[in-house]
Amino acid sequence: MLTGRSASAAPAGADVDTLPALVGPASVEVTARYLKVGDGYTSTLLVNGYPAEVGAGWLSPLTGWPGRADVVIHIEPLAPQVAASRLRRQRARLESSRRSDAEHGRLDDPSTEAAAADAAELADRVACGASRLFRVGHYVAVHATSLEELTESVAHVRATAASVMLDTVPATWRQMQAWTSTLPLGVDSIGMRRVFDTDSLSAGMPLASADLPAPLPGDPPSASGVLYGVNTATNGIVWHDRWAADNHNSVVLARSGAGKSYMIKLETLRSLYDGVQVHVIDPEDEYRRLAGAVGGTVIDLGAPDVRLNPLDIAADDTRPDARNRRALFAHALVNVLLGAAGQAGGMDPVERAALDRAVNAAYLGAGVTNDPATWRRPAPLLRDVAAALEADGSPPAVTLAARLSPWTTGSFSDLFAGPTTTRPTGHLVVWSTRRLADELRAPGMLLALDTIWRVVDAPPAADPTGGRRRLVIVDEAWTLLRDGEGVRFLNRLAKAARKRRAGLSVITQDAADLLGSELGQAVIANSATQVLMRQAPQAVAAVADSFSLTGGEARMLLSAQRGESLLLSGSNRVASHAVSSYREHALCVTGNTDPEETP
């Protein structure tokens, strides 16, 4: 047992003596096959057998092992004269074996023939300076929090190494020397080395992994997350937890037919397994089957009996500025309505002032003041605001009332013609906008997002779920992204969602709408999880520039198959292919898709 002294008990000035106590573990317990280091356990494996040939990235299975394992390489270059001498002796031994077999009439040994040819080729390259020889040792330190977990992890690491023809043995009765050899001290106390040439050694570099990293030492493993698919490079599992990232937002960019809706529906279903409440803005009515299977709620915007009143104030919202918030949203909605009608410029400052007066007048006419006690009364409707504009009598107010007439008394007034009829309740709420006319698509999506935001932003006392995690999915977001007010609303939602245990997922097939504006770039900047699927050749350059993709990643997006994606999370990037069970597949294909079709 080696025990370090407490740093506070160390005498002043004893720099060398106190260094182990300052940076080392509290204690190290040595056994034959493992060490107990502090509160954890570690066991070191030695690589003592290698395949005859190695390819690029041959160490990746070990460096990408999904757990805490330190892969350590000790490299010692051999002097050219020593390398040449060893190669001559090796070639002499192999030639002697060949001649002995020939003299005794034995058949040629294929392994000896291959080794002789390799030795001759290597000797030629060393002689002309094209390659060098190195003495190399590979050690793997496996860490765990319990002895049972350590035993299982060591077996898993050995099986992983065996899958690429690497033989490993535990450092029995030399665990202390082996462990210190894996520390960043530059000391190899084991000395189990093999001779590598430059090509074989460099094929294991860089020490990178195509898999997402495991939790850092000391960090608890994630208790949530969803399966995104199978790693296309290693066939490993791509398991990502958006709730453990810097923020909970994501953005998905893909061309039509790349499989983005299929992948998002899989994420939706698996998020429900994880206890997340999901709200979906569904322009194409693709989530109805999924909602029916899991007992979700579908709200058909555009149906005759479905109405949303943008001026509603929640009766249980007691914040003093709740009425002012609704008045400000009325400004945003009117801007979107006028933009949907092709009326360029929205409102000018004079019309904006007239609208503000009309909204306040409509609230007062309904008996709703800044007193929270009055907020239980029926809220005014959009047509009441138009009537207040006409009663104002000023030319800007009358003009604005006329511009709003299609949504107050005209063809598009059904959605706003009465009090709110539907409340979003349940673990999955799908807001279908397929029945809405094109002129109502953007306003309908904005109304749905506003209603969702009011659920997310509810005061703690008014939240019956007790702070449940919520995911807001905006599918085919290009409908909203083409409107400046819509992008601003998404930007505000992306920035404010994290503090309310909510995440925003923006999905669009038109990358230019998201990348072509500062607000769209801000939405991307506030999304810690980014998923890129197959891109059109015309858009891949802009996508590669915005997401700092390498040339290989950009080419991967051009040739990606349906369901393949590039997941970006912080500094980590991993390519995956969506996988599903038969039941999940049946729920995630769209209504007009062949159920036998694969993503």
Side-chain angles (χ1 to χ4, degrees), residues 388-413:
L389 285 169
E390 293 177 351
D392 185 284
S394 63
V398 174
T399 301
L400 184 57
R403 296 174 68 187
L404 286 176
S405 60
W407 296 276
T408 56
T409 58
S411 303
F412 306 134
S413 61

Side-chain angles (χ1 to χ4, degrees), residues 124-485:
D124 292 340
R125 287 193 285 119
V126 170
C128 65
S131 183
R132 294 190 61 183
L133 296 185
F134 304 86
R135 296 180 68 244
V136 181
H138 290 88
Y139 311 136
V140 184
V142 184
H143 302 269
T145 57
S146 66
L147 191 56
E148 294 76 12
E149 181 185 351
L150 180 67
T151 303
E152 183 179 353
S153 298
V154 167
H156 194 181
V157 170
R158 297 193 68 181
T160 302
S163 68
V164 289
M165 305 298 290
L166 292 175
D167 297 331
T168 58
V169 294
T172 306
W173 292 115
R174 292 185 295 172
Q175 283 293 331
M176 173 59 76
Q177 295 88 334
W179 177 59
T180 56
S181 298
T182 64
L183 298 178
L185 304 175
V187 176
D188 182 7
S189 303
I190 295 296
M192 185 175 287
R193 305 287 185 91
R194 284 291 184 92
V195 176
F196 279 66
D197 66 308
T198 304
D199 293 343
S200 300
L201 182 59
S202 62
M205 309 293 180
L207 295 178
S209 171
D211 288 301
L212 293 174
L216 293 174
D219 291 347
S222 175
S224 60
V226 299
L227 172 66
Y228 273 71
V230 175
N231 192 315
T232 57
T234 65
N235 287 327
I237 296 298
V238 179
W239 186 277
H240 178 60
D241 183 10
R242 68 161 69 224
W243 309 99
D246 295 336
N247 60 65
H248 315 320
N249 305 325
S250 67
V251 59
V252 180
L253 295 181
R255 65 180 298 179
S256 178
K260 60 182 181 301
S261 294
Y262 187 95
M263 188 194 74
I264 294 302
K265 280 182 274 190
L266 277 177
E267 182 184 11
T268 300
L269 188 59
R270 291 163 183 173
S271 295
L272 295 175
Y273 299 156
D274 198 28
V276 179
Q277 184 184 43
V278 183
H279 292 259
V280 182
I281 308 296
D282 181 15
E284 298 298 332
D285 212 15
E286 295 182 287
Y287 294 79
R288 185 179 297 273
R289 180 189 299 172
L290 179 61
V294 301
T297 302
V298 179
I299 301 177
D300 277 309
L301 298 181
D305 57 342
V306 176
R307 296 183 179 87
L308 292 177
N309 183 10
L311 301 178
D312 266 343
I313 304 176
D316 51 5
D317 190 349
T318 58
R319 288 173 292 186
D321 61 342
R323 203 194 81 160
N324 291 335
R325 290 170 182 260
R326 303 317 305 154
L328 292 174
F329 176 72
H331 284 258
L333 177 63
V334 170
N335 270 325
V336 173
L337 291 175
L338 299 182
Q343 302 177 24
M347 295 184 291
D348 58 34
V350 180
E351 289 178 327
R352 194 174 297 113
L355 177 64
D356 194 62
R357 293 194 301 270
V359 171
N360 287 323
Y363 272 123
L364 292 175
V368 179
T369 66
N370 286 326
D371 182 4
T374 65
W375 296 345
R376 294 183 179 274
R377 297 172 182 172
L381 303 177
L382 192 59
R383 64 169 176 257
D384 297 324
V385 175
L389 285 169
E390 293 177 351
D392 185 284
S394 63
V398 174
T399 301
L400 184 57
R403 296 174 68 187
L404 286 176
S405 60
W407 296 276
T408 56
T409 58
S411 303
F412 306 134
S413 61
D414 285 348
L415 186 60
F416 315 99
T420 299
T421 58
T422 307
R423 302 292 178 183
T425 58
H427 54 284
L428 174 61
V429 181
V430 176
W431 298 80
S432 175
T433 62
R434 186 172 185 176
R435 294 193 184 190
L436 292 175
D438 290 342
E439 291 80 3
L440 282 174
R441 282 290 181 94
M445 292 179 71
L446 185 63
L447 277 172
L449 281 173
D450 173 69
T451 307
I452 295 169
W453 173 246
R454 292 161 69 182
V455 174
V456 172
D457 194 38
D463 185 3
T465 66
R468 185 179 185 179
R469 292 174 298 168
R470 294 184 175 94
L471 177 60
V472 182
I473 298 174
V474 186
D475 204 352
E476 304 294 347
W478 57 269
T479 306
L480 197 60
L481 292 171
R482 291 181 177 178
D483 180 83
E485 194 64 42

Side-chain angles (χ1 to χ4, degrees), residues 71-122:
V71 180
V72 179
I73 307 176
H74 288 275
I75 304 173
E76 177 188 351
L78 286 177
Q81 59 271 23
V82 175
S85 174
R86 291 192 175 187
L87 282 172
R88 282 196 299 270
R89 288 198 299 270
Q90 178 69 6
R91 294 184 65 186
R93 283 196 295 268
L94 293 172
E95 184 63 26
S96 174
S97 297
R98 294 172 62 185
R99 292 185 178 182
S100 175
D101 291 341
E103 289 176 359
H104 291 83
R106 290 192 290 264
L107 296 176
D108 294 337
D109 185 357
S111 60
T112 302
E113 296 292 331
D118 292 341
E121 180 185 358
L122 182 58

Side-chain angles (χ1 to χ4, degrees), residues 41-52:
Y41 296 82
T42 182
S43 179
T44 304
L45 300 174
L46 314 177
V47 179
N48 66 340
Y50 299 85

Side-chain angles (χ1 to χ4, degrees), residues 506-529:
V506 178
I507 302 99
T508 182
Q509 64 185 27
D510 198 338
D513 287 335
L514 196 60
L515 303 177
S517 68
E518 293 183 2
L519 290 173
Q521 292 281 3
V523 172
I524 294 176
N526 284 285
S527 300
T529 302

